[in-house]
């Protein structure tokens, strides 16, 4: 396939997955925030989906990463990043629950009910690891707010990034669908590492409570593309893929941009060193494996425990491409969860009502034809917490939730169903497959 044809094909896929919006879109006022997570009995939920012991606080920070390369101007510019931060709230915190406002991919405003208190003090009784949370192309920092709130309730500080040039508000997919893609390729891992450094090394509201020896990173789609790089999966663009995904045609410029793209571990080039604080990575539907954009030798050298989560019918990142990344990853602690018959939208929160009333371009960001988004979210909460507790906090008993047989469907053997997966109630671990590097301990 030629570069032109491939660009057209990718553009079509991105249009289906993202939609159109205008830069002039503004938020509409909503009197009552929408509740996406009504009460549901714990009897049908995996164990680790339960809320933790901490109340949750949330703050919005405006950070600046100085002197970063800007593809639009071909110069170095300060790069602004808006970050939503969830954290264990002080025991004395007593404030109304807040809300999150954003826009759909066609620019329709919505406001969602949060389970967190805005700008309250952080709990000063413990030290908490920082988890960086990274959305896809396009997206927004609260698109996985359920994970941010959940992890914070269990004693983590979660920093979710609005990746500049890559949010719903930044990109006009109708008229310029690739306007932010070059920036996304360059900056995803850099943004993740910068935010992790900020919370561990600079003065901020949480400085005294940060566990500066342990951290994690979670990414969805292009966020997963960045997360794999952040833990040492160095990029390996060739001239063809450089041209394909940037639109550049001049051969000399292609070679220069190829060198720029092929960075590692947060923007390093020579003798890259992975941040030793990072003890776990979770990649939901990571993009790039289907195009062989990661260096095979670097992937084999990855040591960070890694969980890949994929839909078996992913038509954006490609299920075979995600499996390829899992198979290439060298960590002795690696896992892959597959949602059978799921497409690409396995990580966002459920669709807001306005998206349900809109076109496929909006609802298509949140909708899975074969799965309930609530079920996906609750299952994601379970496995992400198991991953972070086991490998970031080193809680050995939580590792048991990551030691599973391949299939959770409880097939009938000798007239009796097999046991459900550990952590799931009887009859409720169906529709999923599991792979792990270490043999399952029966």
């Amino acid at each position: 396939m030629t570069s032109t044809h491939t660009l057209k094909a990718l553009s079509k896929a991105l249009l289906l997955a993202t939609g159109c919006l205008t830069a002039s879109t503004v938020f509409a006022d909503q009197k009552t925030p929408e509740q996406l997570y009504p009460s549901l009995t714990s009897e049908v939920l995996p164990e680790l989906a339960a809320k933790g012991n901490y109340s949750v606080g949330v703050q919005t920070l405006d950070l600046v990463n100085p002197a970063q390369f800007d593809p639009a101007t071909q110069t170095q510019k300060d790069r602004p990043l808006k970050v939503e931060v969830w954290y264990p709230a002080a025991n004395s915190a007593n404030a109304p629950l807040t809300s999150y406002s954003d826009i759909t991919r066609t620019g329709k405003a919505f406001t969602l009910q949060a389970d967190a208190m805005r700008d309250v003090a952080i709990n000063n009784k413990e030290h908490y690891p920082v988890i960086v949370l990274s959305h896809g192309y396009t997206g927004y920092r609260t698109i996985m707010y359920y994970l941010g709130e959940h992890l914070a309730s269990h004693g983590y500080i979660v920093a979710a990034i609005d990746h500049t040039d890559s949010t719903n508000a930044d990109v006009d997919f109708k008229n310029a669908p690739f306007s932010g893609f070059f920036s996304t390729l360059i900056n995803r891992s850099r943004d993740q590492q910068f935010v992790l450094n900020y919370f561990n090394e600079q003065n901020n509201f949480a400085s005294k409570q940060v566990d500066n020896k342990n951290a994690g990173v979670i990414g969805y789609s292009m966020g997963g593309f960045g997360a794999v790089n952040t833990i040492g999966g160095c990029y390996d663009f060739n001239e063809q893929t450089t041209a394909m995904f940037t639109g550049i045609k001049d051969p000399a410029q292609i070679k220069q941009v190829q060198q720029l793209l092929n960075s590692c571990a947060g923007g390093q080039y020579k003798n890259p060193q992975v941040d030793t604080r990072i003890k776990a990575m979770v990649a939901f539907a990571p993009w790039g494996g289907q195009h062989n954009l990661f260096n095979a030798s670097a992937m084999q050298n990855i040591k960070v425990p890694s969980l890949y989560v994929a839909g078996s019918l992913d038509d954006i990142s490609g299920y075979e491409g995600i499996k390829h990344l899992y198979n290439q990853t060298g960590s002795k602690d690696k896992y892959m969860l597959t949602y059978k018959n799921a497409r690409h939208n396995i990580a966002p929160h459920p669709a807001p009502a306005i998206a349900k009333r809109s076109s496929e371009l909006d609802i298509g960001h949140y909708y899975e034809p074969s799965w309930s988004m609530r079920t996906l979210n609750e299952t994601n909460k379970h496995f992400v917490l198991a991953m972070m507790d086991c490998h970031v906090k080193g809680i050995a008993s939580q590792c048991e939730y990551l030691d599973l047989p391949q299939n959770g469907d409880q097939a009938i053997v000798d007239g009796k169903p097999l046991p459900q997966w550990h952590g799931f109630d009887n009859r409720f671990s169906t529709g999923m497959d599991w792979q792990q590097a270490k043999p399952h301990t029966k």
Side-chain angles (χ1 to χ4, degrees):
M1 182 179 288
T2 66
S3 296
T4 300
H5 288 161
T6 304
L7 276 170
K8 289 180 178 178
L10 182 60
S11 177
K12 182 178 180 182
L14 287 170
L15 282 167
L16 288 172
T18 54
C20 317
L21 64 96
T22 62
S24 61
T25 303
V26 296
F27 292 114
D29 291 331
Q30 293 187 6
K31 294 182 179 179
T32 304
E34 185 178 353
Q35 175 57 261
L36 296 183
Y37 298 102
S39 297
L40 181 63
T41 176
S42 61
E43 293 179 1
V44 298
L45 301 178
E47 288 180 19
L48 300 188
K51 184 177 178 179
N53 294 326
Y54 292 100
S55 297
V56 177
V58 63
Q59 296 191 25
T60 305
L61 304 182
D62 288 295
L63 309 183
V64 176
N65 192 4
Q68 298 300 299
F69 177 77
D70 176 33
T73 62
Q74 302 287 298
T75 62
Q76 285 194 333
K77 294 175 60 177
D78 289 350
R79 179 170 170 81
L81 294 171
K82 190 176 291 291
V83 179
E84 202 79 357
V85 188
W86 295 274
Y87 52 91
N91 294 334
S92 60
N94 184 17
L97 296 179
T98 188
S99 59
Y100 311 119
S101 295
D102 219 292
I103 55 175
T104 67
R105 284 164 160 172
T106 63
K108 295 179 174 62
F110 59 87
T111 300
L112 305 178
Q113 180 62 55
D115 190 19
M117 298 174 286
R118 178 71 60 182
D119 297 331
V120 296
I122 191 170
N123 193 301
N124 63 5
K125 303 301 182 184
E126 304 286 344
H127 291 89
Y128 313 106
V130 173
I131 309 297
V132 174
L133 189 59
S134 181
H135 66 73
Y137 183 86
T138 58
Y140 43 91
R141 65 189 184 278
T142 58
I143 199 167
M144 295 177 282
Y145 74 89
Y146 67 95
L147 284 179
E149 292 178 348
H150 185 60
L151 289 172
S153 78
H154 285 273
Y156 293 88
I157 296 168
V158 183
I161 308 167
D162 256 359
H163 291 282
T164 302
D165 306 322
S166 189
T167 68
N168 285 5
D170 288 330
V171 179
D172 178 355
F173 267 94
K174 183 176 181 179
N175 299 301
F178 286 95
S179 63
F181 204 66
F182 190 0
S183 174
T184 298
L185 296 175
I186 293 173
N187 288 307
R188 222 16 146 248
S189 179
R190 285 175 165 86
D191 289 351
Q192 293 169 5
Q193 189 64 56
F194 167 75
V195 169
L196 179 60
N197 290 346
Y198 171 81
F199 280 96
N200 279 273
E201 300 169 8
Q202 297 188 38
N203 290 329
N204 57 77
F205 79 93
S207 297
K208 294 181 179 180
Q209 307 311 134
V210 170
D211 172 359
N212 57 21
K213 294 182 179 179
N214 299 290
V217 59
I218 302 169
Y220 166 49
S221 193
M222 293 307 294
F225 167 81
V228 173
N229 183 271
T230 298
I231 64 166
C234 306
Y235 296 137
D236 193 20
F237 286 80
N238 57 33
E239 292 182 17
Q240 181 181 7
T241 52
T242 298
M244 184 186 305
F245 297 117
T246 64
I248 297 171
K249 297 180 180 180
D250 178 70
Q253 190 177 8
I254 288 171
K255 290 183 178 180
Q256 291 178 335
V257 171
Q258 179 187 355
Q259 293 177 347
L260 177 66
L261 289 174
N262 285 336
S263 63
C264 195
Q268 301 177 62
Y269 290 96
K270 293 184 178 180
N271 302 315
Q273 301 295 316
V274 175
D275 191 328
T276 57
R277 293 172 296 206
I278 301 175
K279 301 299 195 303
M281 184 277 295
V282 179
F284 290 98
W287 185 85
Q290 76 276 44
H291 299 294
N292 295 310
L293 297 183
F294 296 89
N295 180 275
S297 177
M299 291 293 294
Q300 191 61 45
N301 287 330
I302 287 176
K303 302 295 190 298
V304 175
S306 301
L307 169 61
Y308 293 90
V309 186
S312 67
L313 298 180
D314 190 317
D315 54 344
I316 302 298
S317 294
Y319 183 55
E320 293 301 320
I322 300 168
K323 286 200 299 183
H324 182 56
L325 293 178
Y326 167 79
N327 290 329
Q328 281 189 311
T329 299
S331 174
K332 63 182 179 64
D333 294 300
K334 65 175 180 179
Y335 318 86
M336 182 167 174
L337 172 66
T338 297
Y339 292 115
K340 290 186 282 189
N341 296 318
R343 291 286 191 181
H344 186 68
N345 299 327
I346 58 172
H349 61 67
I354 199 164
K356 296 177 183 178
R357 300 192 297 267
S358 185
S359 67
E360 181 183 345
L361 297 178
D362 278 340
I363 188 65
H365 194 184
Y366 310 97
Y367 184 73
E368 277 292 333
S370 299
W371 280 83
S372 154
M373 294 304 292
R374 178 69 180 271
T375 300
L376 290 170
N377 288 180
E378 300 292 349
T379 307
N380 291 343
K381 285 159 61 175
H382 172 86
F383 281 109
V384 168
L385 181 60
M387 191 72 183
M388 297 303 161
D389 277 358
C390 173
H391 294 292
V392 176
K393 289 189 175 180
I395 304 173
S397 60
Q398 299 295 76
C399 302
E400 296 175 8
Y401 295 98
L402 302 172
D403 183 13
L404 304 171
Q406 185 264 334
N407 189 278
D409 286 343
Q410 294 185 262
I412 304 298
V413 177
D414 296 330
K416 297 180 180 180
L418 294 174
Q420 70 273 20
W421 278 354
H422 180 61
F424 287 77
D425 203 0
N426 184 40
R427 302 177 62 239
F428 294 108
S429 63
T430 59
M432 297 175 284
D433 280 336
W434 182 259
Q435 293 173 262
Q436 58 189 55
K438 296 178 180 178
H440 170 51
T441 304
K442 296 184 179 179

